[in-house]
């Protein structure tokens, strides 16, 4: 184990959260999520999925399922499923996150754009560049509209958006275009 001390400490925090009961569910959820990230970086993906699911359960119990906190846990697990080739599980989780964010945050919110981007990467991993391209275009468009509103002084919900975020979304768009080679990047 390359990081045994970190794992040991995070597991200790998780255990403390479990012992404290319902009033510390938010502590447990954060610790489970951090543990999942460390496990994922160590290549212990099966354990990381379990930790993400435990973080989701704790966040859902504390905040309810219709809340950004458990959605973040679903997104993290979905991305890990995508990275490990479990596309069906990834699609189920990532589409749930996208639906939630579109419904609650709106089409032009940066977190919705992030969810669209994640779906684009999933479609690209599945070998469906045209479907990926549609998600990447929506993501880039959402970021650009959000950024334009901020530039006009009309702040949207959530955190600010930097130019690098638009650039990161364009990378996915360009990769999808490169795979299709027959699509015109300026066409919707």
């Amino acid at each position: 184990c390359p990081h045994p001390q970190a794992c040991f400490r995070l597991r200790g925090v998780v255990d403390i959260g479990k012992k404290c009961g319902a009033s510390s569910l938010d502590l447990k959820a954060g610790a489970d999520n951090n543990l999942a990230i460390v496990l994922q970086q160590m290549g212990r993906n099966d354990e990381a999925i379990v930790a993400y699911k435990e973080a989701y359960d704790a966040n859902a119990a504390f905040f309810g399922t219709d809340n950004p906190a458990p959605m973040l846990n679903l997104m993290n697990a979905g991305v890990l499923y995508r990275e490990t080739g479990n596309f069906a599980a990834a699609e189920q989780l990532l589409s749930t996150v996208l639906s939630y964010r579109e419904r609650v945050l709106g089409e032009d919110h940066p977190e919705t754009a992030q969810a669209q981007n994640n779906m684009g990467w999933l479609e690209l991993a599945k070998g469906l560049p045209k479907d990926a391209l549609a998600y990447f275009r929506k993501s880039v468009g959402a970021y650009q509209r959000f950024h334009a509103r901020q530039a006009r002084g009309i702040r949207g919900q959530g955190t600010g958006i930097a130019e690098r975020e638009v650039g990161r979304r364009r990378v996915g768009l360009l990769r999808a275009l490169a795979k299709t080679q027959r699509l015109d990047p300026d066409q919707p």
Side-chain angles (χ1 to χ4, degrees), residues 3-174:
H3 307 289
Q5 202 62 13
C7 259
F8 176 77
R9 287 187 178 153
L10 283 170
R11 285 194 192 278
V13 172
V14 170
D15 290 341
I16 290 169
K18 287 178 182 176
K19 289 176 187 174
C20 291
S23 63
S24 296
L25 283 171
D26 56 337
L27 169 68
K28 181 192 175 327
D32 280 331
N33 193 68
N34 291 339
L35 177 61
I37 292 167
V38 170
L39 290 167
Q40 184 176 350
Q41 290 174 349
M42 294 169 55
R44 296 164 59 179
N45 295 330
D46 291 338
E47 293 174 77
I49 289 293
V50 171
Y52 281 133
K53 287 180 180 179
E54 289 181 5
Y56 171 83
D57 290 343
N59 270 324
F62 189 75
F63 295 109
T65 56
D66 201 25
N67 183 279
M71 289 298 129
L72 178 63
N73 303 127
L74 288 185
M75 182 189 71
N76 289 341
V79 168
L80 179 54
Y81 276 132
R82 182 197 72 217
E83 290 174 359
T84 58
N86 188 342
F87 299 141
E91 186 162 9
Q92 180 183 8
L93 298 180
L94 294 176
S95 64
T96 298
V97 172
L98 177 58
S99 295
Y100 166 80
R101 288 181 174 175
E102 286 175 339
R103 179 176 53 80
V104 173
L105 303 175
E107 293 281 330
D108 293 344
H109 193 278
E111 290 182 23
T112 304
Q114 178 189 38
Q116 293 164 338
N117 194 58
N118 284 333
M119 289 298 294
W121 284 113
L122 174 61
E123 296 303 311
L124 202 56
K126 289 170 30 182
L128 302 170
K130 289 182 181 181
D131 294 341
L133 187 60
Y135 281 113
F136 289 137
R137 283 186 171 140
K138 286 176 78 174
S139 176
V140 169
Y143 273 110
Q144 288 173 329
R145 287 186 299 277
F146 184 82
H147 182 68
R149 277 198 320 273
Q150 281 193 318
R152 291 191 312 265
I154 305 169
R155 297 212 34 100
Q157 292 179 328
T159 60
I161 177 77
E163 284 295 326
R164 68 177 168 77
E165 291 300 322
V166 174
R168 287 175 55 198
R169 287 353 182 218
R170 287 183 180 153
V171 168
L173 179 66
L174 292 174

